[in-house]
Amino acid sequence: MREQLAALLTHGRRPTTVLQVLPLSAGTHGLMDGSMTILTTADGQPVIYTEGIRSGAIIEEPSAVRNLSRSYDVLTASALSRDASARMIQKLMEAS
């Protein structure tokens, strides 16, 4: 596990990567069903790809994209900052 945590810290330092830890104390959230990727089309329109246990979907409908984007914003606001996340991962590494 220590090597995995070290890899997270290394990748989290990249300028194109945002690594945030969502503590268990944050409770449940609207994106617990699976993963979500926010993409931008060539014409600047956001599109969301969601993936769960049994399926994946591309969401293009503007109101659905807005709702999922808001859920993502709430999730990232509930997570630790980048620096606090890195400190937490570092502490876990040291404890293992």
Side-chain angles (χ1 to χ4, degrees):
M1 185 165 116
R2 182 174 221 173
E3 290 177 13
Q4 291 172 333
L5 293 171
L8 283 174
L9 287 175
T10 298
H11 293 295
R13 291 185 192 105
R14 292 179 179 173
T16 57
T17 302
V18 176
L19 176 64
Q20 289 182 271
V21 174
L22 183 67
L24 291 175
S25 61
T28 61
H29 56 82
L31 297 174
M32 292 185 71
D33 293 337
S35 66
M36 181 178 89
T37 304
I38 301 173
L39 307 164
T40 304
T41 63
D43 62 354
Q45 297 300 309
V47 174
I48 294 179
Y49 174 71
T50 61
E51 188 170 25
I53 293 172
R54 294 192 175 107
S55 66
I58 295 175
I59 312 295
E60 299 179 83
E61 202 276 312
S63 66
V65 169
R66 273 192 305 278
N67 289 337
L68 286 168
S69 294
R70 283 188 200 118
S71 293
Y72 178 80
D73 291 342
V74 168
L75 181 67
T76 57
S78 300
L80 299 176
S81 69
R82 292 174 82 164
D83 291 338
S85 294
R87 285 192 300 271
M88 181 180 183
I89 292 168
Q90 184 67 45
K91 283 182 185 177
L92 288 170
M93 257 181 66
E94 292 166 1
S96 65

